[in-house]
Amino acid sequence: MDPAPDSKTSLPCPELRRNRSERFLSIRQTTRALAAPLSAEDCAIQSMPDASPVKWHLAHTAWFFETFVLAPHQPGYRPFRPSYRVLFNSYYHTVGGRHPRPERGMLSRPGLEEVLAYRRHVDEATLGLLAGARLLPEVGALIELGLHHEQQHQELILTDVKHLLSRNPAKPAYQKQWPLTPIRARERRWISFEAGLREIGHSGPEFCFDNETPRHRAWLDAFQIASHPVTHGDFVEFIDDGGYRRPELWLSAGWDAVTACGWHAPQYWERCSGRWQSFTLHGQAPVDPHTPICHLSFFEADAFARWANARLPTEVEWEVAAREAPLAGNFLESGALHPLALREAAADETLAQAFGDVWEWTRSDYAPYPGFRAAAGALGEYNGKFMCGQYVLRGGSCATPASHIRATYRNFFPPAARWQFSGLRLAREAE
């Protein structure tokens, strides 16, 4: 696997209507394609405790199918390496009680070629299971969960690699820079919603994670939400107005982060000859003022909203507002791997760029819905991850697979996290 930074990543496009074998292969091949521009050295390194090496992502997604699908449901299945059952389990603890996530980059062995052989072994066995005369419904559900779990890791591969390459003083590109075209600015409009009792959450037979359920009623006061996300140009105005130097704009924990971490701009930004530039998966590039702002923490998004005399929407407001928006946008499959400027105005009462481009922070704590019941057993690790002090993001990003997202999808991160493609859309009380 020689590095090929000047080639554009070619990705298969999974369709929900494909049969299980074709969809399984398509999603598995996409993960492999995302690693193709990288060297073995690229795939082994971990640049921060919250990230994982690409080699670990490749192995862990195979581990899921081996552990939860093949071992219990494929008679006669022989594990590729019995030690992998522990090595690539995301919640493995050592005898001494240490969580090894920050040390995944120390796993020099197995090597990348052996990890790829592990994936081939698991793929062949899983395809054999899928080709069987009758697939039990519970096994089909496990495979579907495994595919969505893999799509989560596809996005993480890109965000983790972006952080890794940004730490290199040479600022290497993951793939060739795309052509930027001038786009005129769009004026923000406010879309109004009346007060009332609304239903949110997932319903129906299609796949969802259990944190999207149960569907339930929630009261909404009248509110307004912005027609499109905050842009890089908007955020430059915040910086120029001293946004990072004004403690009155920040939550106290946010101001602590600003002072402790020395934040003065979004992650990956730097001043070059008086102009803002940002590191992207295409290398260093000028900040485009018309593209949605990304790589903001919750604290930065909240401070910007306060500066703009607005606020972040709740996740209930966001879901109600976005449910009429088309489930289309700048996703992983576009190959842009960066937020793009709005090219066509949305309908008057429809959110523009609700899906794709950037995850949008909400002001909602990540907590279970009323009546929630977590999945039992080890699979509870892949559902029901309710953690203290995290906030909900909605809508997907330019690194999210298109078939993975829906209006009810709930992402979540700690408030200081900045390495995801996270931005914001403003909301305010109804006038």
Side-chain angles (χ1 to χ4, degrees):
M1 295 210 348
D2 294 327
D6 292 333
S7 62
K8 185 173 181 178
T9 304
S10 177
L11 303 175
C13 295
E15 298 174 4
L16 292 175
R17 293 189 180 93
R18 288 184 178 184
N19 69 44
R20 281 196 176 98
S21 295
E22 290 176 332
R23 186 158 178 270
F24 175 83
L25 269 180
S26 177
I27 290 175
R28 296 284 285 171
Q29 289 169 355
T30 293
T31 308
R32 179 68 179 84
L34 291 174
L38 304 170
S39 68
E41 291 82 2
D42 291 329
C43 292
I45 299 174
Q46 178 179 17
S47 57
M48 61 176 174
D50 288 335
S52 296
V54 171
K55 184 174 69 173
W56 191 91
H57 288 297
L58 292 168
H60 173 69
T61 47
W63 169 91
F64 182 100
F65 289 104
E66 182 173 72
T67 301
F68 297 119
V69 177
L70 296 173
H73 299 290
Q74 178 72 309
Y77 175 75
R78 297 184 64 181
F80 184 78
R81 296 277 187 275
S83 62
Y84 287 9
R85 180 89 183 246
V86 171
L87 193 60
F88 296 116
N89 181 342
S90 58
Y91 277 81
Y92 161 60
H93 287 69
T94 65
V95 174
R98 292 184 302 143
H99 194 295
R101 179 167 185 160
E103 298 180 4
R104 287 173 184 168
M106 298 173 67
L107 296 177
S108 60
R109 300 181 185 183
L112 179 59
E113 290 305 319
E114 184 168 331
V115 166
L116 295 177
Y118 177 38
R119 287 180 65 86
R120 291 191 294 270
H121 174 86
V122 169
D123 287 351
E124 290 171 5
T126 306
L127 289 170
L129 180 62
L130 288 167
R134 180 173 177 269
L135 191 70
L136 294 174
E138 57 266 30
V139 180
L142 286 170
I143 292 173
E144 186 68 18
L145 176 60
L147 291 175
H148 281 272
H149 167 249
E150 181 131 355
Q151 288 181 310
Q152 289 178 318
H153 281 269
Q154 289 168 1
E155 182 162 3
L156 288 170
I157 284 173
L158 291 171
T159 53
D160 291 358
V161 164
K162 182 172 183 177
H163 188 270
L164 170 68
L165 296 179
S166 77
R167 306 301 294 167
N168 187 325
K171 305 295 185 187
Y174 169 77
Q175 72 175 27
K176 187 177 180 180
Q177 187 170 331
W178 75 101
L180 291 174
T181 55
I183 301 293
R184 67 182 179 86
R186 300 281 182 179
E187 185 177 351
R188 181 187 301 130
R189 294 178 291 104
W190 292 99
I191 302 172
S192 298
F193 290 83
E194 296 181 356
L197 196 61
R198 311 296 178 89
E199 285 194 350
I200 69 159
H202 193 274
S203 65
E206 297 84 6
F207 175 85
C208 73
F209 289 106
D210 68 350
N211 67 356
E212 301 170 55
T213 65
R215 191 165 179 83
H216 61 286
R217 294 181 296 174
W219 175 263
L220 276 183
D221 290 324
F223 72 99
Q224 294 181 318
I225 191 166
S227 55
H228 60 269
V230 170
T231 65
H232 284 82
D234 296 330
F235 209 83
V236 168
E237 293 182 18
F238 169 77
I239 296 173
D240 289 345
D241 196 38
Y244 283 93
R245 303 189 303 274
R246 295 171 56 182
E248 72 273 13
L249 297 175
W250 297 78
L251 297 171
S252 59
W255 186 247
D256 288 345
V258 169
T259 55
C261 302
W263 291 350
H264 63 278
Q267 185 154 355
Y268 304 127
W269 284 34
E270 60 181 68
R271 280 275 194 183
C272 298
S273 301
R275 295 187 60 191
W276 285 113
Q277 292 198 351
S278 176
F279 182 76
T280 76
L281 284 164
H282 313 275
Q284 198 81 353
V287 167
D288 181 343
H290 304 316
T291 55
I293 183 68
C294 63
H295 298 299
L296 291 185
S297 67
F298 170 85
F299 293 136
E300 290 163 297
D302 178 81
F304 177 91
R306 192 170 291 106
W307 172 81
N309 295 314
R311 59 172 173 81
L312 299 178
T314 68
E315 67 168 322
V316 178
E317 290 170 339
W318 192 98
E319 185 172 324
V320 168
R323 63 177 43 153
E324 299 302 324
L327 194 59
N330 171 26
F331 292 108
L332 170 66
E333 290 80 3
S334 75
L337 306 184
H338 191 75
L340 297 178
L342 181 64
R343 279 161 169 72
E344 295 181 3
D348 287 347
E349 299 303 315
T350 302
L351 299 192
Q353 297 178 288
F355 300 102
D357 285 303
V358 295
W359 288 102
E360 297 179 13
W361 284 106
T362 75
R363 64 191 295 185
S364 296
D365 294 326
Y366 180 54
Y369 285 156
F372 172 81
R373 295 291 182 271
L379 283 175
E381 173 187 341
Y382 297 95
N383 294 279
K385 288 185 170 180
F386 297 105
M387 305 171 188
C388 179
Q390 305 221 20
Y391 288 86
V392 175
L393 302 95
R394 294 296 195 110
S397 81
C398 56
T400 306
S403 64
H404 183 63
I405 204 66
R406 53 204 160 268
T408 59
Y409 194 108
R410 307 174 76 199
N411 200 355
F412 53 96
F413 276 98
R418 306 208 300 169
W419 87 101
Q420 271 292 331
F421 287 97
S422 48
L424 75 149
R425 184 185 302 265
L426 296 175
R428 66 186 186 186
E429 314 309 327
E431 294 182 345

